Amino acid sequence: MTQKVQININGFPVTVKPGTTILEAARKANVTIPTLCYHKDLCVAGNCRVCVVEVAGQKRLSAACATPCEDGMDILTNSLKVRNSRKHIIELLLSEHNADCTKCYKNGKCELQSLASEYKIMTQDFIELLPWKNYTIDMISPSIIKDDSKCIRCQRCVRTCAELQGVNALTVAYKGDHMKISTFFEKPMNDVVCTNCGQCVNRCPTGALVEKNYVEEVWDAISDPKKHVVVQTAPAVRVGLGEDLGFEPGSRVTGKMVAALKRLGFDSVLDTDFTADLTIMEEGTELLTRLKKALVDNDKEVKLPMATSCSPGWIKYIEHMYPEYLPNLSTCKSPQQMFGALAKTYYAKARNLDPDKIVSVSIMPCTAKKFEAARSEMHDSGYRDVDYVLTTRELSIMIKQAGIDFMQLDDMEFDRLMGESTGAGAIFGVTGGVMEAALRTAYELVTGRPVPFENLNITPVRGMDGVREATVKIEKPLKEWKFLDGVELRCAIAHGLINAKTVMDAVKAGKANFHFLEVMACPGGCLGGGGQPIPTNSEIREKRAKAIYAEDSGKPIRKSHENPEVQKIYKDFLGEPLGEVSHHLLHTTYTPRERF
C-alpha cells in the first residue's frame, strides 16, 4: 500500500499521497490559496510568492506550489503573517504594473486585478515605479500584442513556450529590477521564431500578452449597409464558447452560437466544418496520389510522409525549424482559408454578389489563424480571402456587448450553401480528428467499404497522449486501387509543438517510416487553441474533446465524401479534387524562414 502523509491545514487534518504539494493538499481540502506563476499545465516555478503559507516551526513562509507535504506538518494559510505578506507582494507587483485597468483588454479577466480586489489594495505603500520603466508595446504581429508595462514576470509564458511548444520564442532577459520577458535580440514577436499559437496568451495572468483584437472592425463591417458580411465558425468554437457565457466546460452550444451570430447582424452564418469536409476530399486524394506515385510509379521525388496543413502554428513552426520538409506538407490550405477563397468566388457567384462587397469573417479557437489570414499566399480569390479573424473570446465579447442572453437563446441552424457538414468535419477540432476524418473517407474510396472500426470510431488515433501511432491495413481494394492491397497505412499524430519536434526528429533520423502525419500546434488540438476561453487545462481539454466526439456521433452523416453540399460544389464549381479550379483556389505553398 502507498504510504499516506498526514498534515493539518488551518487546524483540520488532511491525508495526502507522498509528493503532494501544500497547494494541491489545500485544494483537496477546499481551501483556496491564491497563485499567479502556477499553472496546471506547467512545471513549478515558485517565483511570484503569492501562494506563501506559514508552516509551524519554520522561520520563513513557504511557497505552497513548490513545497511538498511532510508528515506532521501544521500549515496556516490565512494567518496575519501570511495575509500581510501576500498583500505586500501584490502591492509590490502593482507598483511596477500599468494599472489603468478600465482601458485594459483583460479588464475583468485579469488574475492580478482579481487578487488586488480580494485583498482590497486601496492604497499604494510602495514607490510607483511605472513612470521610470522604459516599457514598450509590441503591436506589429497580426496575432499577438505584447505589453511589457503589464507584465508581472511570472514567467508562465516563458515556460509555456519552452515546455509545451519547444519553441523558446520568449525568454527571461537581464537581472534584478531590469529583468524582463524578451525575444531574440528584443525583436518584435512578428520577426522571431514565434508561431503565433497563442498558448502564452492563454496562460498570461494579466494583459501583458493578448490577442490582436478586431472586434471594432467587424462591428463596422456589420454596420455598413454596402457590405455583405459572411461568418464561418470553426469546430472547436462550439465546444468552448459556452464557457465564457455561463455554461460548464464541455458544453455543446452549436445552435445557440448560430442564433447569436444571426442576432449580431451577420448576413450569412456558415460553417468551417463544411470546408473541413472539403479539405478531406482534397487531402485524401492528395495522399492517395502520392502513394500511387511512390508504390506504383517508383517516383523518387514524391515526398512521404505527407503531413497535414490545417494548423497555421504548425506551418510556421516547420517553416522555421524543418524547412527541408516543407514539400512533405499537404498543399491543401486550411479549412479557414479554403472557406475564404470560396466565399469570394463560389458563394459570391451563387448569391449574385460583388466579391469586393463581401467581408469574410472567421471565428476561430486560434490566434495563429489571424497570422494565416494575413499571409501573402492567401489572396487566390483575387481578394484577401479572409478579412478578419476573431477568437472564441472575441466572439463572446461581441455577444455581451450586444446584450444577448446567450443561455436563453433558441437553437438555430446554419444557413445553406457552405453551411452543411458531417461528423468528420466536426472532429477536426480535436487532436487526431483530421487523421480520423481522412481515414474514414480514404479507406472507403479505396475499398468501397467503411473503415473496419465500430461505429466509424477509429479509436487508435484518439486520446491525449502527446504522440500516437496507428496502422490501418488495406484489404481487398477496388480494382483501380489494387496496388494498395495488403498495404499497412502507417500514421502518426502529434499535438503540441514539443511533440511535433519528437516526431520530426524521428523522421529526420530515419527512425520513423510513416505515410501520413497529423500535427496540431496546440495541446489537445484546436479545442486547446490560444484563442479559447481561459482557463484551459488538461481536465477542460478532455471535456471539450468529449463534446467534439458527441457532436460527431450526433450527426446524420459522418463521412466527408457523403456531404451533399461538398458533392454539389464539385459538380457545380470545382470539378474534381486536385482539379484545375481547386488547385488554384484551395492549394498553396509555403516559404522557409530563419531559425531564430
Side-chain angles (χ1 to χ4, degrees), residues 23 27 32-38 45-54 61-66 76-78 81-94 111-112 114-116 118-119 121 152 154 156 205:
L23 178 64
R27 290 182 174 180
T32 299
I33 297 177
T35 61
L36 281 174
C37 69
Y38 173 82
N47 56 24
C48 76
R49 316 308 286 184
V50 170
C51 68
V52 290
V53 295
E54 188 173 358
L61 298 179
S62 299
C65 70
L76 296 176
T77 70
N78 194 37
K81 186 177 180 180
V82 167
R83 288 199 306 275
N84 285 339
S85 178
R86 285 183 192 157
K87 190 171 182 178
H88 288 323
I89 289 168
I90 296 167
E91 288 174 337
L92 285 166
L93 290 171
L94 290 172
E111 293 178 42
L112 179 61
S114 296
L115 285 178
E118 287 174 15
Y119 281 81
I121 310 298
I152 60 172
C154 67
R156 273 195 202 170

Side-chain angles (χ1 to χ4, degrees), residues 187-216:
K187 291 185 176 184
M189 296 275 283
N190 204 48
D191 295 341
V192 296
V193 74
C194 173
T195 63
N196 300 286
C197 70
Q199 291 301 311
C200 58
V201 174
N202 197 278
R203 286 161 185 79
C204 179
T206 65
L209 288 161
V210 297
E211 66 263 41
K212 195 78 165 282
N213 185 319
Y214 296 97
V215 168
E216 290 306 317

Side-chain angles (χ1 to χ4, degrees), residues 215-216 219 264 394-404:
V215 168
E216 290 306 317
W219 276 127
L264 290 175
E394 286 171 270
L395 175 58
S396 72
I397 288 171
M398 291 187 70
I399 292 170
K400 292 172 184 175
Q401 287 177 341
I404 297 170

Side-chain angles (χ1 to χ4, degrees), residues 311-528:
S311 168
W314 153 240
I315 296 297
K316 192 159 186 285
Y317 179 78
I318 197 172
E319 286 179 325
H320 284 291
M321 301 298 193
Y322 300 93
E324 68 272 29
Y325 284 95
L326 284 174
N328 291 68
L329 285 174
S330 166
T331 61
C332 289
K333 293 180 180 178
S334 72
Q336 169 183 269
Q337 295 305 134
M338 284 191 181
F339 186 100
L342 293 171
K344 296 187 178 181
T345 53
Y346 172 66
Y347 177 87
K349 183 179 179 180
R351 292 284 186 260
N352 196 26
L353 296 167
D354 179 358
D356 192 45
K357 304 297 183 185
I358 293 177
V359 177
S360 176
V361 178
S362 68
I363 313 297
M364 293 287 139
C366 174
T367 52
K369 288 292 182 184
K370 296 172 184 279
F371 173 83
E372 180 186 47
R375 294 184 71 123
S376 60
E377 299 94 340
M378 303 303 174
H379 291 74
D380 290 321
S381 64
Y383 304 86
R384 175 166 161 161
D385 295 337
V386 176
D387 295 293
Y388 302 110
V389 178
L390 303 180
T391 61
T392 307
R393 294 190 293 264
E394 286 171 270
L395 175 58
S396 72
I397 288 171
M398 291 187 70
I399 292 170
K400 292 172 184 175
Q401 287 177 341
I404 297 170
D405 187 347
F406 188 79
M407 297 189 78
Q408 299 304 316
L409 288 175
D410 292 328
D411 289 356
M412 297 184 72
E413 297 290 330
F414 287 103
D415 295 323
R416 293 277 69 86
L417 193 68
M418 299 171 60
E420 188 166 350
S421 63
T422 71
I427 56 176
F428 265 57
V430 61
T431 173
V434 179
M435 180 71 69
E436 182 169 356
L439 291 175
R440 286 181 189 177
T441 286
Y443 189 91
E444 189 158 329
L445 291 180
V446 168
T447 66
R449 306 184 305 275
V451 287
F453 291 89
E454 185 178 355
N455 199 29
L456 299 178
N457 297 329
I458 308 178
T459 52
V461 305
R462 297 186 177 188
M464 288 292 171
D465 292 336
V467 178
R468 304 183 300 287
E469 298 181 17
T471 300
V472 177
K473 187 174 182 178
I474 298 174
E475 296 179 301
K476 299 179 181 179
L478 299 174
K479 184 177 180 181
E480 60 268 33
W481 299 104
K482 187 177 179 180
F483 66 91
L484 289 175
D485 194 11
V487 169
E488 291 188 341
L489 190 64
R490 295 181 297 276
C491 309
I493 303 99
H495 62 113
L497 292 173
I498 193 79
N499 296 311
K501 182 180 188 303
T502 299
V503 172
M504 292 307 297
D505 283 347
V507 170
K508 193 171 184 177
K511 298 178 180 179
N513 189 20
F514 299 116
H515 296 111
F516 194 23
L517 303 178
E518 183 211 292
V519 180
M520 290 292 164
C522 297
C526 298
L527 57 82

Side-chain angles (χ1 to χ4, degrees), residues 42 156-170 200:
L42 306 174
R156 273 195 202 170
C157 59
V158 175
R159 286 176 286 145
T160 296
C161 203
E163 295 169 25
L164 293 187
Q165 301 299 68
V167 175
N168 295 291
L170 295 167
C200 58

Side-chain angles (χ1 to χ4, degrees), residues 539-559:
E539 291 89 349
I540 290 174
R541 289 191 291 270
E542 289 278 4
K543 291 177 180 179
R544 292 174 185 166
K546 288 180 181 177
I548 287 278
Y549 288 125
E551 189 88 358
D552 165 39
S553 62
K555 288 276 192 177
I557 302 174
R558 299 180 60 216
K559 292 174 279 189

